[in-house]
Amino acid sequence: DAGVTQSPTHLIKTRGQQVTLRCSPISGHKSVSWYQQVLGQGPQFIFQYYEKEERGRGNFPDRFSARQFPNYSSELNVNALLLGDSALYLCASSLDPWNTIYFGEGSWLTVV
Amino acid sequence: SQKIEQNSEALNIQEGKTATLTCNYTNYSPAYLQWYRQDPGRGPVFLLLIRENEKEKRKERLKVTFDTTLKQSLFHITASQPADSATYLCALVLKGSQGNLIFGKGTKLSVKP
């Protein structure tokens, strides 16, 4: 079975631009969450979606938004990119929000 | 303030020895705790989950303990191998939360042959 898949794996954007990151959960998993990991730190929670509804939001500005589709895949959007948004963006899925969480390999975003 | 601390940023041990990594937390009420392994440039890989009412969990050469009185989890790798070299992350899921993980910064383990 395929694990959590994310695209793109690497991308470079300019300050002020917008980016969309995509995630496909493990088959059968209905919960998807997003985390941001900057170098030398642990991942930080951004969003959680379950059954296509937002169930949790971390301490991130409104420039960050996400959604979950009927097939349980998800997108993370970040508007008006700042240099500080450069990080590894991790998508994770689980059967439901209270089960073991499995991560994808991440999308590396560099903002220049 | 709320904190989750992994006490060593880096741990160097000799092959064959037991590696012990520490995770301490303050002002949190965890429902359960998870340990992950992360290799450079890769996503975290789930290793073990331990619930608040469990004292110990084992999986092959891995063992995790959870002491809610001390607010501490210990993660042991016995008979360590160079292939165990990686960053190990502990993460809490809080009672009453939506299940999101709160991570420590991680401990970078290096196992020397």
Side-chain angles (χ1 to χ4, degrees), chain A residues 35 37 40-45 48 55-56 88 90 97-106 108, chain B residues 32 34 36 38 41-46 49 51 89 93 97-106:
Chain A
Y35 290 78
Q37 187 175 24
Q41 302 291 321
Q44 286 228 307
F45 171 68
Q48 183 190 76
R55 297 296 295 262
L88 177 65
L90 294 161
W98 305 275
N99 254 291
T100 303
I101 293 173
Y102 298 92
F103 285 85
E105 295 292 9
W108 282 99
Chain B
Y32 52 93
Q34 301 188 50
Y36 289 83
Q38 188 172 29
R42 310 290 297 273
V45 174
F46 170 74
L49 180 154
R51 301 189 184 277
L89 298 160
V93 174
S97 74
Q98 292 301 318
N100 55 286
L101 297 164
I102 303 171
F103 280 90
K105 287 186 179 180

Side-chain angles (χ1 to χ4, degrees), chain A:
Chain A
D1 276 346
V4 178
T5 56
Q6 293 186 242
S7 63
T9 53
H10 295 82
L11 67 167
I12 301 173
K13 291 285 189 178
T14 305
R15 272 181 301 175
Q17 284 189 316
Q18 175 262 343
V19 68
T20 298
L21 307 177
R22 295 175 177 83
C23 172
S24 292
I26 293 171
S27 177
H29 285 195
K30 298 182 178 179
S31 178
V32 170
S33 47
W34 289 93
Y35 290 78
Q36 180 198 65
Q37 187 175 24
V38 300
L39 216 56
Q41 302 291 321
Q44 286 228 307
F45 171 68
I46 310 176
F47 283 110
Q48 183 190 76
Y49 279 79
Y50 178 53
E51 291 283 16
K52 291 150 279 184
E53 289 189 5
E54 182 183 306
R55 297 296 295 262
R57 173 186 285 249
N59 190 22
F60 280 81
D62 291 344
R63 299 185 295 108
F64 289 76
S65 63
R67 54 181 176 166
Q68 186 177 32
F69 297 100
N71 66 353
Y72 301 107
S73 66
S74 177
E75 284 182 353
L76 175 70
N77 293 285
V78 187
N79 293 323
L81 285 166
L82 304 174
L83 295 178
D85 294 330
S86 297
L88 177 65
Y89 288 85
L90 294 161
C91 177
S93 77
S94 56
L95 286 169
D96 59 57
W98 305 275
N99 254 291
T100 303
I101 293 173
Y102 298 92
F103 285 85
E105 295 292 9
S107 294
W108 282 99
L109 171 65
T110 302
V111 182
V112 298

Side-chain angles (χ1 to χ4, degrees), chain B residues 26-90:
Chain B
T26 53
N27 295 324
Y28 283 123
S29 292
Y32 52 93
L33 185 149
Q34 301 188 50
W35 283 89
Y36 289 83
R37 168 186 173 138
Q38 188 172 29
D39 291 287
R42 310 290 297 273
V45 174
F46 170 74
L47 297 175
L48 283 168
L49 180 154
I50 187 163
R51 301 189 184 277
E52 60 163 339
N53 60 349
E54 297 174 318
K55 295 292 186 187
E56 183 179 297
K57 273 274 189 76
R58 291 175 185 261
K59 179 183 172 183
E60 297 172 354
R61 294 185 296 112
L62 308 180
K63 183 178 87 170
V64 62
T65 63
F66 194 13
D67 188 327
T68 54
T69 301
L70 290 178
K71 299 187 187 299
Q72 181 181 78
S73 176
L74 299 178
F75 179 77
H76 307 272
I77 305 175
T78 57
S80 59
Q81 306 164 359
D84 295 326
S85 298
T87 295
Y88 291 85
L89 298 160
C90 75

